[in-house]
Amino acid sequence: MTAAIIDGRAFAARIRERVAGHVARLKDEHAITPGLAVILVGEDPASEVYVGHKREATVAAGMESFEHRLSADTSEEALFALIDRLNADPKVHGILCQFPVPEHLDERRTVARIDPAKDVDGLSVENAGLLATGGDALVPCTPLGCLMLLRDALGDLSGQEAVVVGRSNLFGKPMAQLLLREDCTVTVAHSRTKDLAAVCRRADILVAAVGRAGMVRGDWVKPGATVIDVGITREAHPGRPGKTRLVGDVAFEEAAEVAGAITPVPGGVGPMTIACLLANTLAACCRAHGLPVPEGLTA
Amino acid sequence: MTAAIIDGRAFAARIRERVAGHVARLKDEHAITPGLAVILVGEDPASEVYVGHKREATVAAGMESFEHRLSADTSEEALFALIDRLNADPKVHGILCQFPVPEHLDERRTVARIDPAKDVDGLSVENAGLLATGGDALVPCTPLGCLMLLRDALGDLSGQEAVVVGRSNLFGKPMAQLLLREDCTVTVAHSRTKDLAAVCRRADILVAAVGRAGMVRGDWVKPGATVIDVGITREAHPGRPGKTRLVGDVAFEEAAEVAGAITPVPGGVGPMTIACLLANTLAACCRAHGLPVPEGLTA
């Protein structure tokens, strides 16, 4: 193996520490405590786990965590009434509704109800538009995390050939916008791309987010490239019957022979997501109070 | 010369006829007349010409044209009061403010004041966000016009390698989004791209919007590619002293030897812009009345 391993767990811990430092300063100097409100509708077990991790991280960073649990049969009216209340609450700087929500509720309408200035998941049309037009957007946490990893690994990204495989609203499209802002030459590839291997081989920066385990092979990687693997699939463990393991979209062992640097799965991009949720909440809080947003924690 | 010439003037005339047909039907069947309001602040001579062309085209399509001329020293308050009135006026389905506005006014704030559903220039953050997330956006007229020309020239664009040179909010970024929606593999290149010629040579569809006369040379074009030239620069005529001529971003004679099809300057992309303004106004009118938007006139 030749590639440097990008340790997302360690880097995310550093980001969380930096956020905590800024939170402590906001309390000391301005008597402000950033607050994140999380809405959970119903009792999806995976969502319970995610919400728990977010709560722990929020509290560990010195922020206030507000949890709102609604029953699975909550009406849109009741959900929106809660969102309206949180939008108006000056102690709440970030609001997220844990998805999926029960089927009778609509994710798009729910996101649209959240004040864009508090939309720390960066999912609203307003924030997508701000990102697309160079404004002060709240950016979705996973692409923001990838950007931070890339800046940390490479420094200046200007002029690099970047290829993003996948074009979701949640990841691929905002990731492409972020790389374009950094002056990369950016290609978005996807399932309809004709020679995907050849397109990937052009990349100085290759970001894979397709959700298909091991799809990006070693010979798709340009020697020396930086590879960011956003995929995460649970599959049967090949060596340990009855056990499972998490794998990414990139065939890690093969790619690591060729790449200059690569994120592992798990322990690469994953830990950055919550770190960026905290960074977004901090940024939203600073903006709400007319204070400068700390450097290096936003797009 | 081997390339087919894409006649934007003729195609724009066909689009305008189709719009006029739909307008006539709206009047007959629903007693609705689409209306476009144009705001002109100050007396910029070029703007006067543009506004005149828009008025003629609007009236020729059977729509109502509302012109609002404000003096150059109009306050933002007065401008916004007018926009608010037009936002509320059910006879007005599209609103555009002709830019540039005098320096004491702010273009971003002005656009943000226009109801996104009437923002027929497609310049608002809301419409950029809708385009980026796959919603029913009003798309800026020039990229929409290019998309229509490409669909007409090529039919299905799926799987084509598209390269957009230029990354403005007005053109390059929305053009890239539109091509991605059509399932192209899309690269955005720009002034920081390292080997721009090589990147352009990959393109089955090459769209140039850099504003530098003749920058894209013949040997930047892949044989058989479709070339869309969005640039328009007035320069001294080489053969006729004292005269000027309009040229594009592409060295036309050279590129036409290699390309499969190419838009000329003038007479290529230019005429599509007003045609798409009419198409956007029609679409906005249909949506305002809960009617289906005619096919082929939107993204």
Side-chain angles (χ1 to χ4, degrees):
Chain A
M1 195 179 74
T2 62
I5 303 301
I6 296 175
D7 185 344
R9 213 167 267 145
F11 187 68
R14 293 214 300 281
I15 294 291
R16 287 167 61 167
E17 268 168 38
R18 286 181 52 198
V19 170
H22 289 293
V23 169
R25 218 161 308 143
L26 278 175
K27 286 182 184 173
D28 280 359
E29 296 172 13
H30 300 280
I32 296 166
T33 304
L36 173 63
V38 176
I39 302 169
L40 180 57
V41 186
E43 285 156 8
D44 180 66
S47 291
E48 291 276 359
V49 172
Y50 297 140
V51 166
H53 289 160
K54 289 171 187 176
R55 176 183 55 237
E56 284 164 29
T58 306
V59 172
M63 299 184 180
E64 278 209 84
S65 167
F66 307 100
E67 249 174 66
H68 295 272
R69 286 157 180 279
L70 303 176
S71 65
D73 62 354
T74 297
S75 67
E76 183 179 79
E77 199 184 354
L79 173 62
F80 283 9
L82 170 61
I83 293 174
D84 291 348
R85 198 145 47 77
L86 297 172
N87 283 341
D89 185 343
K91 293 182 70 180
V92 172
H93 304 99
I95 303 169
L96 73 83
C97 183
Q98 186 69 41
F99 291 144
V101 286
E103 271 191 11
H104 68 283
L105 298 171
D106 182 84
E107 295 193 355
R108 226 176 227 261
R109 283 172 55 86
T110 302
V111 166
R113 192 74 175 200
I114 297 171
D115 180 349
K118 298 190 178 187
D119 164 36
V120 284
D121 267 342
L123 298 179
S124 65
V125 167
E126 174 87 8
N127 276 309
L130 285 169
L131 178 58
T133 57
D136 279 337
L138 287 166
V139 178
C141 299
T142 304
L144 179 58
C146 292
L147 178 70
M148 288 186 187
L149 288 174
L150 283 166
R151 281 179 180 156
D152 186 59
L154 297 173
D156 184 14
L157 307 183
S158 175
Q160 302 273 307
E161 281 256 8
V163 174
V164 179
V165 189
R167 53 173 163 170
S168 66
N169 289 341
L170 210 65
F171 183 81
K173 288 198 271 185
M175 186 77 245
Q177 296 280 4
L178 290 171
L179 291 165
L180 194 57
R181 271 199 190 193
E182 302 286 312
D183 293 331
C184 292
T185 302
V186 182
T187 299
V188 180
H190 45 77
S191 56
R192 309 294 284 273
T193 292
K194 272 182 184 154
D195 188 348
L196 188 54
V199 172
C200 289
R201 267 193 295 271
R202 295 174 191 160
D204 302 313
I205 294 169
L206 178 59
V207 185
V210 288
R212 288 181 56 191
M215 190 178 84
V216 176
R217 307 306 303 253
D219 64 356
W220 296 24
V221 177
K222 180 176 170 176
T226 302
V227 178
I228 305 290
D229 189 350
V230 185
I232 187 153
T233 305
R234 188 171 288 280
E235 63 170 25
H237 198 294
R240 298 159 75 187
K243 299 277 179 186
T244 62
R245 63 173 189 179
L246 293 172
V247 292
D249 288 346
V250 179
F252 182 81
E253 283 77 15
E254 291 176 17
E257 296 292 331
V258 189
I262 187 168
T263 58
V265 175
V269 170
M272 290 301 294
T273 300
I274 285 185
C276 287
L277 176 64
L278 303 179
N280 275 348
T281 304
L282 174 66
C285 175
C286 290
R287 286 188 191 128
H289 287 278
L291 296 169
V293 175
E295 291 221 345
L297 294 175
T298 56
Chain B
M1 194 180 74
T2 61
I5 304 299
I6 296 175
D7 185 343
R9 213 167 267 143
F11 186 68
R14 293 215 299 281
I15 295 291
R16 287 166 62 167
E17 268 167 40
R18 285 180 51 197
V19 170
H22 290 293
V23 169
R25 218 161 308 143
L26 278 175
K27 287 181 184 174
D28 280 0
E29 295 173 12
H30 301 278
I32 296 167
T33 305
L36 173 63
V38 176
I39 303 169
L40 180 57
V41 186
E43 285 158 7
D44 180 65
S47 291
E48 292 276 357
V49 173
Y50 297 141
V51 167
H53 288 159
K54 289 171 186 175
R55 177 183 53 238
E56 283 163 30
T58 306
V59 172
M63 298 183 180
E64 276 209 86
S65 166
F66 308 100
E67 247 173 70
H68 295 272
R69 287 156 179 277
L70 304 176
S71 65
D73 62 354
T74 297
S75 67
E76 184 180 77
E77 200 185 353
L79 173 61
F80 283 10
L82 170 60
I83 292 174
D84 292 348
R85 199 144 47 77
L86 297 173
N87 283 341
D89 185 344
K91 293 182 70 178
V92 173
H93 305 100
I95 303 169
L96 74 83
C97 182
Q98 185 69 40
F99 290 144
V101 285
E103 271 191 12
H104 68 283
L105 298 171
D106 182 84
E107 295 192 355
R108 225 175 227 262
R109 283 172 55 85
T110 302
V111 166
R113 193 75 177 198
I114 297 171
D115 179 349
K118 297 190 178 187
D119 164 37
V120 284
D121 267 342
L123 297 179
S124 64
V125 166
E126 173 87 8
N127 277 310
L130 286 169
L131 178 59
T133 56
D136 278 337
L138 286 165
V139 178
C141 298
T142 305
L144 179 58
C146 292
L147 177 70
M148 287 185 189
L149 287 175
L150 283 166
R151 281 179 182 156
D152 186 59
L154 297 173
D156 183 14
L157 308 182
S158 175
Q160 301 274 306
E161 280 256 9
V163 174
V164 179
V165 189
R167 53 173 163 170
S168 66
N169 290 341
L170 210 64
F171 184 81
K173 287 198 273 185
M175 187 77 244
Q177 297 279 4
L178 290 171
L179 291 165
L180 194 56
R181 272 196 190 194
E182 301 287 310
D183 294 330
C184 293
T185 301
V186 182
T187 298
V188 180
H190 45 77
S191 56
R192 309 295 285 274
T193 292
K194 271 179 183 153
D195 188 348
L196 188 54
V199 172
C200 289
R201 266 193 296 270
R202 295 175 193 159
D204 302 313
I205 294 169
L206 178 59
V207 184
V210 288
R212 289 181 55 190
M215 191 179 84
V216 176
R217 307 307 302 256
D219 64 356
W220 296 23
V221 176
K222 178 177 173 177
T226 303
V227 178
I228 305 290
D229 190 349
V230 184
I232 186 152
T233 306
R234 187 170 289 281
E235 62 170 27
H237 198 294
R240 299 159 75 188
K243 298 279 180 187
T244 62
R245 64 172 188 179
L246 293 173
V247 292
D249 289 346
V250 179
F252 182 81
E253 283 77 14
E254 291 176 16
E257 295 294 330
V258 188
I262 187 168
T263 59
V265 175
V269 171
M272 290 301 294
T273 300
I274 286 186
C276 287
L277 176 64
L278 303 179
N280 274 348
T281 305
L282 174 65
C285 175
C286 290
R287 286 188 191 129
H289 288 278
L291 296 169
V293 175
E295 290 222 345
L297 295 174
T298 55

